[in-house]
Amino acid sequence: MSTTENQQQWMKAAIQLSIDNVRNALGGPFGAVVVKDGVIIAKGANAVTATNDPTAHAEVNAIREACKVLGTFQLTGCDVYTSCEPCPMCLGAIYWARPDRLFYANTKADAAAIQFDDQFIYEEIALPIAQRKLATHQLMREEALEAFRLWEESNEKTEY
């Protein structure tokens, strides 16, 4: 099987997860798989409403599972296939997980067309904190810096 055929096979798996999720009324129409060395090592589907967890997006669920399988917090050497262009939260999680590549099927415009519109988050992130719709206030910075100082001085830390 060619690389393109493999990539299509893995994307089909992500898409099928999204379809099954809707058909089984388990959550939103999103699915994701993580592939390493030509094998799907983790799958995830949107479980926001099923778990009452706003972070239970397909990509986050797949990343969590892949990290458990691999016993690490990074997905170096892995590819992520997702049925839709990731939202800002998922994109951030994907960057933090550090896979080699990301593949997606539907676009964020496709998602917006069915009321999964994340554009406002992208716009909010670009604004200065004081201009954002979510009232945000800084408190106790000096006290909180203690944890950062301890981290910086620690010989026990695992950097990432």
Side-chain angles (χ1 to χ4, degrees), residues 19-137:
I19 292 168
D20 292 346
N21 214 44
V22 174
R23 284 191 174 143
N24 295 315
L26 297 173
F30 305 98
V33 299
V34 178
V35 175
K36 185 171 178 77
D37 298 328
V39 176
I40 293 175
I41 61 164
K43 299 176 182 181
N46 181 285
V48 170
T49 57
T51 62
N52 294 319
D53 179 352
T55 69
H57 289 201
E59 298 90 335
V60 171
N61 289 337
I63 288 168
R64 288 174 178 159
E65 182 62 28
C67 289
K68 284 181 193 174
V69 167
L70 296 174
T72 183
F73 53 84
Q74 294 188 346
L75 299 180
T76 306
C78 295
D79 292 332
V80 175
Y81 290 80
T82 182
S83 65
C84 186
E85 186 175 357
C87 74
M89 177 185 69
C90 292
L91 188 58
I94 290 165
Y95 270 98
W96 278 114
R98 295 179 174 90
D100 291 357
R101 297 181 297 182
L102 167 65
F103 298 88
Y104 67 92
N106 291 321
T107 67
K108 61 184 177 182
D110 296 330
I114 61 163
Q115 307 308 308
F116 287 95
D117 190 355
D118 301 320
Q119 187 59 38
F120 77 97
I121 298 173
Y122 288 104
E123 292 169 5
E124 285 282 305
I125 290 170
L127 292 173
I129 290 172
Q131 293 178 19
R132 294 179 186 166
K133 291 178 184 159
L134 177 63
T136 304
H137 309 279

